[in-house]
Amino acid sequence: PTGGRIDAGRADHRPHQPMNAQSRTGYRPLDAPYRPRDRSAPFVQRAGALTLDAVVAFVCVPLPIQGYFLVTGRAGLRCTWNGDTEVCLTDPADARLSRIMFWTLASAFALCFSWAISHRRTLGQAAVGIRVKDTASGAPVSFGRALLRTVAMALSLLPLGLGFWWALIDRDRRTWHDLIARTTATAV
């Protein structure tokens, strides 16, 4: 009565649904949108980018200042012994140097941070070939989204870096800051 074919072995007795061309052969009509899925950056590649960023932040930037201390022998404190007690005083010239060192490091971090936000990726990501894209559209992220992602990295670091390790178990290899900012790190 319904016009469909009923199979004797089927318990639900629904009418036969013919397969369309796309499900049977993988054919996709020309008018259907096609968006190739970008390849998510592997964990090892992302870890390499993070390592390079750490080297820039904690080795390359403070290296000239550490070199100055090694060459001059100044460490910021002048220590003397007063009987059995060591007394350490700050030399005014060294205090001035400490302020210069602080502002130099702060400026270097600000430059790296602003470069990362303006280019939508860090120096390490640029070196290993990672681009950060919007998850839904695949387009480059906006300035605000890049800023949100960078700030959310602090949350990924808090519990022993669990937010970064999350990429190992996530199906799409996304970290917590990727999930918060709705971004995906893709290999170029």
Side-chain angles (χ1 to χ4, degrees), residues 1-71:
T2 60
R5 191 182 89 204
I6 299 177
D7 291 329
R10 290 178 50 186
D12 60 355
H13 300 290
R14 282 185 274 173
H16 173 68
Q17 298 286 327
M19 291 178 65
N20 63 20
Q22 182 177 353
S23 63
R24 184 175 60 243
T25 64
Y27 166 78
R28 180 184 296 265
L30 292 176
D31 60 343
Y34 175 71
R35 201 176 100 229
R37 182 164 170 82
D38 291 325
R39 186 174 66 89
S40 295
F43 180 79
V44 173
Q45 189 176 12
R46 293 180 76 145
L50 186 63
T51 303
L52 288 174
D53 289 333
V55 166
V56 167
F58 299 113
V59 177
C60 294
V61 172
L63 200 61
I65 296 167
Q66 292 170 355
Y68 173 80
F69 286 139
L70 285 174
V71 169

Side-chain angles (χ1 to χ4, degrees), residues 66-124:
Q66 292 170 355
Y68 173 80
F69 286 139
L70 285 174
V71 169
T72 63
R74 300 177 83 157
L77 293 176
R78 191 172 22 136
C79 298
T80 59
W81 286 92
N82 186 5
D84 293 341
T85 314
E86 184 179 22
V87 178
C88 295
L89 301 172
T90 304
D91 185 15
D94 290 337
R96 202 170 25 255
L97 180 65
S98 295
R99 283 193 297 277
I100 291 169
M101 181 177 76
F102 170 77
W103 288 111
T104 302
L105 290 175
S107 300
F109 279 118
L111 286 172
C112 289
F113 182 76
S114 64
W115 189 93
I117 296 299
S118 66
H119 288 80
R120 309 323 194 249
R121 60 184 178 166
T122 65
L123 293 169

